[in-house]
Amino acid sequence: MLKPDAIQRSIAFELLSRFERRGLRFTALRLLKVDRAMAEKHYAVHKGKFFYDDLVKVITASPVVAAVVEGPNAIAVVRSMVGSTRPQEATEGSIRGDYALVGLRNLVHASDAPETAATEIKLWFPDGVVEYTRDIDRWTSEDKAPS
Ligand code: CMP
């Protein structure tokens, strides 16, 4: 998910293009304004933490872009592209290392495990995603060479 700061800073598509360029396949994309109920569901695991109220405030302040990407090792690849939660620890070359300065304005949220991804996809895309493969996916998969 591209958080409100990505849209406010006019770098949403610049950031999305990094994932596309890496080779990941977009299977869902949606611009939306997040209401409090959705924010509370999305950040349920953080309820009770000292930054929870700020998290909800930030994500409901302005539209976000929710996206689903698929590909080999997608979760690990996306998390490494996004970089450390604390931008001061994010390596250069990662999104947060290149664009972010503080934790609550860290531009992107990325699912941390297949189970979390499944829950978040259901929350943001209740009608499901667009399942397809591209011809190029044969060339970038690790299991067999194209025939
Ligand atoms: P995100 O990937 O959206 O998941 C939870 C968010 O909480 C995280 O990105 C940060 O924006 C924020 N966050 C996590 N830890 C802290 C912290 N210690 N202080 C402030 N914000 C935090």
Side-chain angles (χ1 to χ4, degrees):
M1 168 185 289
L2 302 183
K3 301 191 201 181
D5 45 333
I7 287 85
Q8 290 292 330
R9 289 174 56 187
S10 306
I11 54 174
F13 284 85
E14 192 173 318
L15 301 185
L16 288 175
S17 80
R18 287 186 164 213
F19 298 105
E20 186 182 39
R21 208 172 56 204
R22 183 73 186 259
L24 294 160
R25 178 171 77 247
F26 280 85
T27 58
L29 198 56
R30 184 180 174 205
L31 175 84
L32 72 152
K33 189 120 194 309
V34 179
D35 64 20
R36 189 170 176 98
M38 294 287 270
E40 288 185 354
K41 279 188 194 157
H42 179 72
Y43 280 136
V45 293
H46 297 294
K47 199 168 171 75
K49 295 185 184 163
F50 72 92
F51 55 86
Y52 176 77
D53 288 340
D54 286 339
L55 266 185
V56 171
K57 203 189 303 170
V58 164
I59 206 179
T60 54
S62 172
V64 303
V65 174
V68 180
V69 292
E70 297 181 13
N73 310 304
I75 287 180
V77 166
V78 168
R79 288 187 72 74
S80 116
M81 291 178 72
V82 167
S84 175
T85 302
R86 294 154 61 89
Q88 66 271 36
E89 289 164 12
T91 51
E92 232 177 282
S94 68
I95 288 173
R96 289 167 176 166
D98 287 351
Y99 295 89
L101 288 173
V102 293
L104 277 172
R105 309 282 180 188
N106 59 7
L107 296 164
V108 182
H109 164 81
S111 306
D112 60 6
E115 301 73 33
T116 332
T119 307
E120 291 176 358
I121 291 168
K122 266 198 213 113
L123 179 63
W124 300 115
F125 299 98
D127 295 334
V129 304
V130 181
E131 293 293 356
Y132 68 104
T133 53
R134 304 162 300 183
D135 288 349
I136 188 71
D137 292 323
R138 289 189 297 126
W139 293 80
T140 53
S141 89
E142 61 187 345
D143 51 359
K144 53 182 179 295
S147 52

mmCIF file with all atom_site columns, all heavy atoms in Angstrom, residues 3 42-43 46 50-51 55 79 85-86 96 103-106 108-110, ligand 1:
data_model
loop_
_atom_site.group_PDB
_atom_site.id
_atom_site.type_symbol
_atom_site.label_atom_id
_atom_site.label_alt_id
_atom_site.label_comp_id
_atom_site.label_asym_id
_atom_site.label_entity_id
_atom_site.label_seq_id
_atom_site.pdbx_PDB_ins_code
_atom_site.Cartn_x
_atom_site.Cartn_y
_atom_site.Cartn_z
_atom_site.occupancy
_atom_site.B_iso_or_equiv
_atom_site.pdbx_formal_charge
_atom_site.auth_seq_id
_atom_site.auth_comp_id
_atom_site.auth_asym_id
_atom_site.auth_atom_id
_atom_site.pdbx_PDB_model_num
ATOM   1   N N   . LYS A 1 3   ? 1.037  4.802  1.120  1.00 0.00 ? 3   LYS A N   1
ATOM   2   C CA  . LYS A 1 3   ? 0.340  5.567  2.150  1.00 0.00 ? 3   LYS A CA  1
ATOM   3   C C   . LYS A 1 3   ? 0.116  7.004  1.677  1.00 0.00 ? 3   LYS A C   1
ATOM   4   O O   . LYS A 1 3   ? 0.701  7.443  0.675  1.00 0.00 ? 3   LYS A O   1
ATOM   5   C CB  . LYS A 1 3   ? 1.167  5.539  3.431  1.00 0.00 ? 3   LYS A CB  1
ATOM   6   C CG  . LYS A 1 3   ? 1.427  4.132  3.963  1.00 0.00 ? 3   LYS A CG  1
ATOM   7   C CD  . LYS A 1 3   ? 2.000  4.230  5.352  1.00 0.00 ? 3   LYS A CD  1
ATOM   8   C CE  . LYS A 1 3   ? 2.738  2.989  5.766  1.00 0.00 ? 3   LYS A CE  1
ATOM   9   N NZ  . LYS A 1 3   ? 3.258  3.082  7.123  1.00 0.00 ? 3   LYS A NZ  1
ATOM   10  N N   . HIS A 1 42  ? -7.059 -2.767 9.383  1.00 0.00 ? 42  HIS A N   1
ATOM   11  C CA  . HIS A 1 42  ? -5.733 -2.917 8.769  1.00 0.00 ? 42  HIS A CA  1
ATOM   12  C C   . HIS A 1 42  ? -4.625 -2.927 9.825  1.00 0.00 ? 42  HIS A C   1
ATOM   13  O O   . HIS A 1 42  ? -3.666 -3.691 9.718  1.00 0.00 ? 42  HIS A O   1
ATOM   14  C CB  . HIS A 1 42  ? -5.519 -1.769 7.777  1.00 0.00 ? 42  HIS A CB  1
ATOM   15  C CG  . HIS A 1 42  ? -4.180 -1.784 7.094  1.00 0.00 ? 42  HIS A CG  1
ATOM   16  N ND1 . HIS A 1 42  ? -3.862 -2.704 6.126  1.00 0.00 ? 42  HIS A ND1 1
ATOM   17  C CD2 . HIS A 1 42  ? -3.084 -1.009 7.260  1.00 0.00 ? 42  HIS A CD2 1
ATOM   18  C CE1 . HIS A 1 42  ? -2.621 -2.483 5.707  1.00 0.00 ? 42  HIS A CE1 1
ATOM   19  N NE2 . HIS A 1 42  ? -2.124 -1.463 6.375  1.00 0.00 ? 42  HIS A NE2 1
ATOM   20  N N   . TYR A 1 43  ? -4.769 -2.065 10.828 1.00 0.00 ? 43  TYR A N   1
ATOM   21  C CA  . TYR A 1 43  ? -3.723 -1.938 11.838 1.00 0.00 ? 43  TYR A CA  1
ATOM   22  C C   . TYR A 1 43  ? -4.095 -2.616 13.169 1.00 0.00 ? 43  TYR A C   1
ATOM   23  O O   . TYR A 1 43  ? -3.549 -2.264 14.214 1.00 0.00 ? 43  TYR A O   1
ATOM   24  C CB  . TYR A 1 43  ? -3.393 -0.457 12.063 1.00 0.00 ? 43  TYR A CB  1
ATOM   25  C CG  . TYR A 1 43  ? -2.481 0.124  10.997 1.00 0.00 ? 43  TYR A CG  1
ATOM   26  C CD1 . TYR A 1 43  ? -2.730 1.380  10.449 1.00 0.00 ? 43  TYR A CD1 1
ATOM   27  C CD2 . TYR A 1 43  ? -1.345 -0.563 10.564 1.00 0.00 ? 43  TYR A CD2 1
ATOM   28  C CE1 . TYR A 1 43  ? -1.877 1.920  9.480  1.00 0.00 ? 43  TYR A CE1 1
ATOM   29  C CE2 . TYR A 1 43  ? -0.498 -0.025 9.603  1.00 0.00 ? 43  TYR A CE2 1
ATOM   30  C CZ  . TYR A 1 43  ? -0.762 1.207  9.068  1.00 0.00 ? 43  TYR A CZ  1
ATOM   31  O OH  . TYR A 1 43  ? 0.076  1.733  8.116  1.00 0.00 ? 43  TYR A OH  1
ATOM   32  N N   . HIS A 1 46  ? -1.534 -3.586 15.728 1.00 0.00 ? 46  HIS A N   1
ATOM   33  C CA  . HIS A 1 46  ? -0.816 -2.521 16.443 1.00 0.00 ? 46  HIS A CA  1
ATOM   34  C C   . HIS A 1 46  ? -1.665 -1.840 17.517 1.00 0.00 ? 46  HIS A C   1
ATOM   35  O O   . HIS A 1 46  ? -1.184 -0.920 18.176 1.00 0.00 ? 46  HIS A O   1
ATOM   36  C CB  . HIS A 1 46  ? -0.310 -1.460 15.447 1.00 0.00 ? 46  HIS A CB  1
ATOM   37  C CG  . HIS A 1 46  ? 0.692  -2.020 14.479 1.00 0.00 ? 46  HIS A CG  1
ATOM   38  N ND1 . HIS A 1 46  ? 1.921  -2.471 14.875 1.00 0.00 ? 46  HIS A ND1 1
ATOM   39  C CD2 . HIS A 1 46  ? 0.632  -2.215 13.138 1.00 0.00 ? 46  HIS A CD2 1
ATOM   40  C CE1 . HIS A 1 46  ? 2.582  -2.915 13.816 1.00 0.00 ? 46  HIS A CE1 1
ATOM   41  N NE2 . HIS A 1 46  ? 1.828  -2.782 12.755 1.00 0.00 ? 46  HIS A NE2 1
ATOM   42  N N   . PHE A 1 50  ? 1.907  2.640  21.381 1.00 0.00 ? 50  PHE A N   1
ATOM   43  C CA  . PHE A 1 50  ? 1.898  4.094  21.607 1.00 0.00 ? 50  PHE A CA  1
ATOM   44  C C   . PHE A 1 50  ? 1.668  4.895  20.322 1.00 0.00 ? 50  PHE A C   1
ATOM   45  O O   . PHE A 1 50  ? 1.184  6.008  20.357 1.00 0.00 ? 50  PHE A O   1
ATOM   46  C CB  . PHE A 1 50  ? 3.208  4.541  22.287 1.00 0.00 ? 50  PHE A CB  1
ATOM   47  C CG  . PHE A 1 50  ? 4.412  4.514  21.387 1.00 0.00 ? 50  PHE A CG  1
ATOM   48  C CD1 . PHE A 1 50  ? 4.783  5.649  20.667 1.00 0.00 ? 50  PHE A CD1 1
ATOM   49  C CD2 . PHE A 1 50  ? 5.165  3.355  21.237 1.00 0.00 ? 50  PHE A CD2 1
ATOM   50  C CE1 . PHE A 1 50  ? 5.887  5.627  19.832 1.00 0.00 ? 50  PHE A CE1 1
ATOM   51  C CE2 . PHE A 1 50  ? 6.262  3.324  20.403 1.00 0.00 ? 50  PHE A CE2 1
ATOM   52  C CZ  . PHE A 1 50  ? 6.631  4.464  19.698 1.00 0.00 ? 50  PHE A CZ  1
ATOM   53  N N   . PHE A 1 51  ? 1.996  4.296  19.177 1.00 0.00 ? 51  PHE A N   1
ATOM   54  C CA  . PHE A 1 51  ? 1.853  5.036  17.913 1.00 0.00 ? 51  PHE A CA  1
ATOM   55  C C   . PHE A 1 51  ? 0.564  4.694  17.165 1.00 0.00 ? 51  PHE A C   1
ATOM   56  O O   . PHE A 1 51  ? 0.336  5.198  16.072 1.00 0.00 ? 51  PHE A O   1
ATOM   57  C CB  . PHE A 1 51  ? 3.078  4.797  17.018 1.00 0.00 ? 51  PHE A CB  1
ATOM   58  C CG  . PHE A 1 51  ? 3.378  3.338  16.756 1.00 0.00 ? 51  PHE A CG  1
ATOM   59  C CD1 . PHE A 1 51  ? 2.754  2.662  15.718 1.00 0.00 ? 51  PHE A CD1 1
ATOM   60  C CD2 . PHE A 1 51  ? 4.290  2.653  17.541 1.00 0.00 ? 51  PHE A CD2 1
ATOM   61  C CE1 . PHE A 1 51  ? 3.043  1.328  15.466 1.00 0.00 ? 51  PHE A CE1 1
ATOM   62  C CE2 . PHE A 1 51  ? 4.583  1.314  17.299 1.00 0.00 ? 51  PHE A CE2 1
ATOM   63  C CZ  . PHE A 1 51  ? 3.945  0.649  16.257 1.00 0.00 ? 51  PHE A CZ  1
ATOM   64  N N   . LEU A 1 55  ? -1.019 6.295  13.740 1.00 0.00 ? 55  LEU A N   1
ATOM   65  C CA  . LEU A 1 55  ? -1.083 5.457  12.537 1.00 0.00 ? 55  LEU A CA  1
ATOM   66  C C   . LEU A 1 55  ? -2.440 5.606  11.861 1.00 0.00 ? 55  LEU A C   1
ATOM   67  O O   . LEU A 1 55  ? -2.526 5.797  10.648 1.00 0.00 ? 55  LEU A O   1
ATOM   68  C CB  . LEU A 1 55  ? -0.938 3.981  12.924 1.00 0.00 ? 55  LEU A CB  1
ATOM   69  C CG  . LEU A 1 55  ? 0.410  3.294  12.903 1.00 0.00 ? 55  LEU A CG  1
ATOM   70  C CD1 . LEU A 1 55  ? 0.222  1.815  13.206 1.00 0.00 ? 55  LEU A CD1 1
ATOM   71  C CD2 . LEU A 1 55  ? 1.087  3.487  11.577 1.00 0.00 ? 55  LEU A CD2 1
ATOM   72  N N   . ARG A 1 79  ? 9.491  -6.537 0.555  1.00 0.00 ? 79  ARG A N   1
ATOM   73  C CA  . ARG A 1 79  ? 9.952  -5.995 1.851  1.00 0.00 ? 79  ARG A CA  1
ATOM   74  C C   . ARG A 1 79  ? 11.373 -5.448 1.746  1.00 0.00 ? 79  ARG A C   1
ATOM   75  O O   . ARG A 1 79  ? 11.708 -4.433 2.331  1.00 0.00 ? 79  ARG A O   1
ATOM   76  C CB  . ARG A 1 79  ? 9.855  -7.072 2.939  1.00 0.00 ? 79  ARG A CB  1
ATOM   77  C CG  . ARG A 1 79  ? 8.404  -7.339 3.303  1.00 0.00 ? 79  ARG A CG  1
ATOM   78  C CD  . ARG A 1 79  ? 8.260  -8.256 4.474  1.00 0.00 ? 79  ARG A CD  1
ATOM   79  N NE  . ARG A 1 79  ? 8.631  -7.629 5.730  1.00 0.00 ? 79  ARG A NE  1
ATOM   80  C CZ  . ARG A 1 79  ? 7.890  -6.727 6.367  1.00 0.00 ? 79  ARG A CZ  1
ATOM   81  N NH1 . ARG A 1 79  ? 6.758  -6.313 5.831  1.00 0.00 ? 79  ARG A NH1 1
ATOM   82  N NH2 . ARG A 1 79  ? 8.284  -6.229 7.518  1.00 0.00 ? 79  ARG A NH2 1
ATOM   83  N N   . THR A 1 85  ? 11.513 -0.355 8.577  1.00 0.00 ? 85  THR A N   1
ATOM   84  C CA  . THR A 1 85  ? 10.411 0.486  9.073  1.00 0.00 ? 85  THR A CA  1
ATOM   85  C C   . THR A 1 85  ? 10.923 1.849  9.516  1.00 0.00 ? 85  THR A C   1
ATOM   86  O O   . THR A 1 85  ? 10.275 2.870  9.284  1.00 0.00 ? 85  THR A O   1
ATOM   87  C CB  . THR A 1 85  ? 9.727  -0.198 10.274 1.00 0.00 ? 85  THR A CB  1
ATOM   88  O OG1 . THR A 1 85  ? 9.270  -1.476 9.859  1.00 0.00 ? 85  THR A OG1 1
ATOM   89  C CG2 . THR A 1 85  ? 8.557  0.613  10.794 1.00 0.00 ? 85  THR A CG2 1
ATOM   90  N N   . ARG A 1 86  ? 12.089 1.844  10.163 1.00 0.00 ? 86  ARG A N   1
ATOM   91  C CA  . ARG A 1 86  ? 12.682 3.111  10.619 1.00 0.00 ? 86  ARG A CA  1
ATOM   92  C C   . ARG A 1 86  ? 13.564 3.647  9.503  1.00 0.00 ? 86  ARG A C   1
ATOM   93  O O   . ARG A 1 86  ? 14.634 3.091  9.231  1.00 0.00 ? 86  ARG A O   1
ATOM   94  C CB  . ARG A 1 86  ? 13.502 2.865  11.882 1.00 0.00 ? 86  ARG A CB  1
ATOM   95  C CG  . ARG A 1 86  ? 12.645 2.447  13.085 1.00 0.00 ? 86  ARG A CG  1
ATOM   96  C CD  . ARG A 1 86  ? 13.443 1.635  14.088 1.00 0.00 ? 86  ARG A CD  1
ATOM   97  N NE  . ARG A 1 86  ? 14.569 2.374  14.633 1.00 0.00 ? 86  ARG A NE  1
ATOM   98  C CZ  . ARG A 1 86  ? 14.497 3.139  15.721 1.00 0.00 ? 86  ARG A CZ  1
ATOM   99  N NH1 . ARG A 1 86  ? 13.371 3.230  16.387 1.00 0.00 ? 86  ARG A NH1 1
ATOM   100 N NH2 . ARG A 1 86  ? 15.539 3.791  16.150 1.00 0.00 ? 86  ARG A NH2 1
ATOM   101 N N   . ARG A 1 96  ? 12.347 3.444  1.343  1.00 0.00 ? 96  ARG A N   1
ATOM   102 C CA  . ARG A 1 96  ? 12.457 4.299  2.535  1.00 0.00 ? 96  ARG A CA  1
ATOM   103 C C   . ARG A 1 96  ? 13.855 4.900  2.643  1.00 0.00 ? 96  ARG A C   1
ATOM   104 O O   . ARG A 1 96  ? 14.017 6.042  3.087  1.00 0.00 ? 96  ARG A O   1
ATOM   105 C CB  . ARG A 1 96  ? 12.094 3.493  3.774  1.00 0.00 ? 96  ARG A CB  1
ATOM   106 C CG  . ARG A 1 96  ? 10.593 3.179  3.831  1.00 0.00 ? 96  ARG A CG  1
ATOM   107 C CD  . ARG A 1 96  ? 10.276 2.134  4.863  1.00 0.00 ? 96  ARG A CD  1
ATOM   108 N NE  . ARG A 1 96  ? 8.851  1.890  4.982  1.00 0.00 ? 96  ARG A NE  1
ATOM   109 C CZ  . ARG A 1 96  ? 8.346  0.847  5.615  1.00 0.00 ? 96  ARG A CZ  1
ATOM   110 N NH1 . ARG A 1 96  ? 9.148  -0.055 6.178  1.00 0.00 ? 96  ARG A NH1 1
ATOM   111 N NH2 . ARG A 1 96  ? 7.040  0.685  5.700  1.00 0.00 ? 96  ARG A NH2 1
ATOM   112 N N   . GLY A 1 103 ? 9.431  7.486  10.826 1.00 0.00 ? 103 GLY A N   1
ATOM   113 C CA  . GLY A 1 103 ? 8.678  6.234  10.862 1.00 0.00 ? 103 GLY A CA  1
ATOM   114 C C   . GLY A 1 103 ? 7.236  6.311  10.427 1.00 0.00 ? 103 GLY A C   1
ATOM   115 O O   . GLY A 1 103 ? 6.739  5.421  9.740  1.00 0.00 ? 103 GLY A O   1
ATOM   116 N N   . LEU A 1 104 ? 6.552  7.357  10.830 1.00 0.00 ? 104 LEU A N   1
ATOM   117 C CA  . LEU A 1 104 ? 5.131  7.435  10.480 1.00 0.00 ? 104 LEU A CA  1
ATOM   118 C C   . LEU A 1 104 ? 4.918  7.912  9.054  1.00 0.00 ? 104 LEU A C   1
ATOM   119 O O   . LEU A 1 104 ? 3.831  7.806  8.511  1.00 0.00 ? 104 LEU A O   1
ATOM   120 C CB  . LEU A 1 104 ? 4.396  8.368  11.444 1.00 0.00 ? 104 LEU A CB  1
ATOM   121 C CG  . LEU A 1 104 ? 3.960  7.738  12.765 1.00 0.00 ? 104 LEU A CG  1
ATOM   122 C CD1 . LEU A 1 104 ? 3.424  8.807  13.701 1.00 0.00 ? 104 LEU A CD1 1
ATOM   123 C CD2 . LEU A 1 104 ? 2.920  6.643  12.554 1.00 0.00 ? 104 LEU A CD2 1
ATOM   124 N N   . ARG A 1 105 ? 5.938  8.435  8.437  1.00 0.00 ? 105 ARG A N   1
ATOM   125 C CA  . ARG A 1 105 ? 5.851  8.901  7.042  1.00 0.00 ? 105 ARG A CA  1
ATOM   126 C C   . ARG A 1 105 ? 6.791  8.057  6.211  1.00 0.00 ? 105 ARG A C   1
ATOM   127 O O   . ARG A 1 105 ? 7.696  8.566  5.553  1.00 0.00 ? 105 ARG A O   1
ATOM   128 C CB  . ARG A 1 105 ? 6.254  10.380 6.949  1.00 0.00 ? 105 ARG A CB  1
ATOM   129 C CG  . ARG A 1 105 ? 5.548  11.291 7.926  1.00 0.00 ? 105 ARG A CG  1
ATOM   130 C CD  . ARG A 1 105 ? 4.137  11.632 7.491  1.00 0.00 ? 105 ARG A CD  1
ATOM   131 N NE  . ARG A 1 105 ? 3.502  12.514 8.465  1.00 0.00 ? 105 ARG A NE  1
ATOM   132 C CZ  . ARG A 1 105 ? 2.224  12.850 8.438  1.00 0.00 ? 105 ARG A CZ  1
ATOM   133 N NH1 . ARG A 1 105 ? 1.437  12.381 7.508  1.00 0.00 ? 105 ARG A NH1 1
ATOM   134 N NH2 . ARG A 1 105 ? 1.736  13.644 9.351  1.00 0.00 ? 105 ARG A NH2 1
ATOM   135 N N   . ASN A 1 106 ? 6.555  6.741  6.289  1.00 0.00 ? 106 ASN A N   1
ATOM   136 C CA  . ASN A 1 106 ? 7.488  5.859  5.594  1.00 0.00 ? 106 ASN A CA  1
ATOM   137 C C   . ASN A 1 106 ? 6.936  5.318  4.279  1.00 0.00 ? 106 ASN A C   1
ATOM   138 O O   . ASN A 1 106 ? 7.398  4.312  3.755  1.00 0.00 ? 106 ASN A O   1
ATOM   139 C CB  . ASN A 1 106 ? 7.979  4.751  6.531  1.00 0.00 ? 106 ASN A CB  1
ATOM   140 C CG  . ASN A 1 106 ? 6.846  3.899  7.067  1.00 0.00 ? 106 ASN A CG  1
ATOM   141 O OD1 . ASN A 1 106 ? 5.700  4.047  6.647  1.00 0.00 ? 106 ASN A OD1 1
ATOM   142 N ND2 . ASN A 1 106 ? 7.157  2.998  7.977  1.00 0.00 ? 106 ASN A ND2 1
ATOM   143 N N   . VAL A 1 108 ? 5.243  3.487  2.394  1.00 0.00 ? 108 VAL A N   1
ATOM   144 C CA  . VAL A 1 108 ? 4.702  2.228  1.883  1.00 0.00 ? 108 VAL A CA  1
ATOM   145 C C   . VAL A 1 108 ? 4.447  1.269  3.038  1.00 0.00 ? 108 VAL A C   1
ATOM   146 O O   . VAL A 1 108 ? 5.228  1.237  3.993  1.00 0.00 ? 108 VAL A O   1
ATOM   147 C CB  . VAL A 1 108 ? 5.721  1.548  0.927  1.00 0.00 ? 108 VAL A CB  1
ATOM   148 C CG1 . VAL A 1 108 ? 5.147  0.265  0.343  1.00 0.00 ? 108 VAL A CG1 1
ATOM   149 C CG2 . VAL A 1 108 ? 6.125  2.479  -0.200 1.00 0.00 ? 108 VAL A CG2 1
ATOM   150 N N   . HIS A 1 109 ? 3.354  0.530  2.948  1.00 0.00 ? 109 HIS A N   1
ATOM   151 C CA  . HIS A 1 109 ? 3.138  -0.600 3.861  1.00 0.00 ? 109 HIS A CA  1
ATOM   152 C C   . HIS A 1 109 ? 3.244  -1.868 3.031  1.00 0.00 ? 109 HIS A C   1
ATOM   153 O O   . HIS A 1 109 ? 2.665  -1.942 1.951  1.00 0.00 ? 109 HIS A O   1
ATOM   154 C CB  . HIS A 1 109 ? 1.753  -0.519 4.509  1.00 0.00 ? 109 HIS A CB  1
ATOM   155 C CG  . HIS A 1 109 ? 1.354  -1.816 5.134  1.00 0.00 ? 109 HIS A CG  1
ATOM   156 N ND1 . HIS A 1 109 ? 1.794  -2.189 6.384  1.00 0.00 ? 109 HIS A ND1 1
ATOM   157 C CD2 . HIS A 1 109 ? 0.613  -2.862 4.660  1.00 0.00 ? 109 HIS A CD2 1
ATOM   158 C CE1 . HIS A 1 109 ? 1.309  -3.395 6.667  1.00 0.00 ? 109 HIS A CE1 1
ATOM   159 N NE2 . HIS A 1 109 ? 0.587  -3.826 5.632  1.00 0.00 ? 109 HIS A NE2 1
ATOM   160 N N   . ALA A 1 110 ? 3.974  -2.852 3.515  1.00 0.00 ? 110 ALA A N   1
ATOM   161 C CA  . ALA A 1 110 ? 4.097  -4.122 2.800  1.00 0.00 ? 110 ALA A CA  1
ATOM   162 C C   . ALA A 1 110 ? 3.723  -5.272 3.731  1.00 0.00 ? 110 ALA A C   1
ATOM   163 O O   . ALA A 1 110 ? 4.149  -5.300 4.887  1.00 0.00 ? 110 ALA A O   1
ATOM   164 C CB  . ALA A 1 110 ? 5.531  -4.307 2.307  1.00 0.00 ? 110 ALA A CB  1
HETATM 165 P P1  . CMP B 2 .   ? 3.645  -0.122 8.319  1.00 0.00 ? 1   CMP B P1  1
HETATM 166 O O1  . CMP B 2 .   ? 4.398  -1.073 7.451  1.00 0.00 ? 1   CMP B O1  1
HETATM 167 O O2  . CMP B 2 .   ? 2.501  0.619  7.759  1.00 0.00 ? 1   CMP B O2  1
HETATM 168 O O3  . CMP B 2 .   ? 3.144  -0.938 9.593  1.00 0.00 ? 1   CMP B O3  1
HETATM 169 C C1  . CMP B 2 .   ? 2.927  -0.335 10.818 1.00 0.00 ? 1   CMP B C1  1
HETATM 170 C C2  . CMP B 2 .   ? 3.429  1.067  10.849 1.00 0.00 ? 1   CMP B C2  1
HETATM 171 O O4  . CMP B 2 .   ? 3.638  1.553  12.143 1.00 0.00 ? 1   CMP B O4  1
HETATM 172 C C3  . CMP B 2 .   ? 4.800  1.138  10.223 1.00 0.00 ? 1   CMP B C3  1
HETATM 173 O O5  . CMP B 2 .   ? 4.686  0.965  8.853  1.00 0.00 ? 1   CMP B O5  1
HETATM 174 C C4  . CMP B 2 .   ? 5.250  2.505  10.701 1.00 0.00 ? 1   CMP B C4  1
HETATM 175 O O6  . CMP B 2 .   ? 4.707  3.547  9.909  1.00 0.00 ? 1   CMP B O6  1
HETATM 176 C C5  . CMP B 2 .   ? 4.628  2.563  12.064 1.00 0.00 ? 1   CMP B C5  1
HETATM 177 N N1  . CMP B 2 .   ? 5.552  2.281  13.142 1.00 0.00 ? 1   CMP B N1  1
HETATM 178 C C6  . CMP B 2 .   ? 6.095  1.113  13.479 1.00 0.00 ? 1   CMP B C6  1
HETATM 179 N N2  . CMP B 2 .   ? 6.875  1.241  14.558 1.00 0.00 ? 1   CMP B N2  1
HETATM 180 C C7  . CMP B 2 .   ? 6.799  2.544  14.916 1.00 0.00 ? 1   CMP B C7  1
HETATM 181 C C8  . CMP B 2 .   ? 7.363  3.313  15.949 1.00 0.00 ? 1   CMP B C8  1
HETATM 182 N N3  . CMP B 2 .   ? 8.178  2.754  16.847 1.00 0.00 ? 1   CMP B N3  1
HETATM 183 N N4  . CMP B 2 .   ? 7.059  4.607  16.007 1.00 0.00 ? 1   CMP B N4  1
HETATM 184 C C9  . CMP B 2 .   ? 6.236  5.160  15.098 1.00 0.00 ? 1   CMP B C9  1
HETATM 185 N N5  . CMP B 2 .   ? 5.656  4.495  14.107 1.00 0.00 ? 1   CMP B N5  1
HETATM 186 C C10 . CMP B 2 .   ? 5.939  3.201  14.009 1.00 0.00 ? 1   CMP B C10 1
#
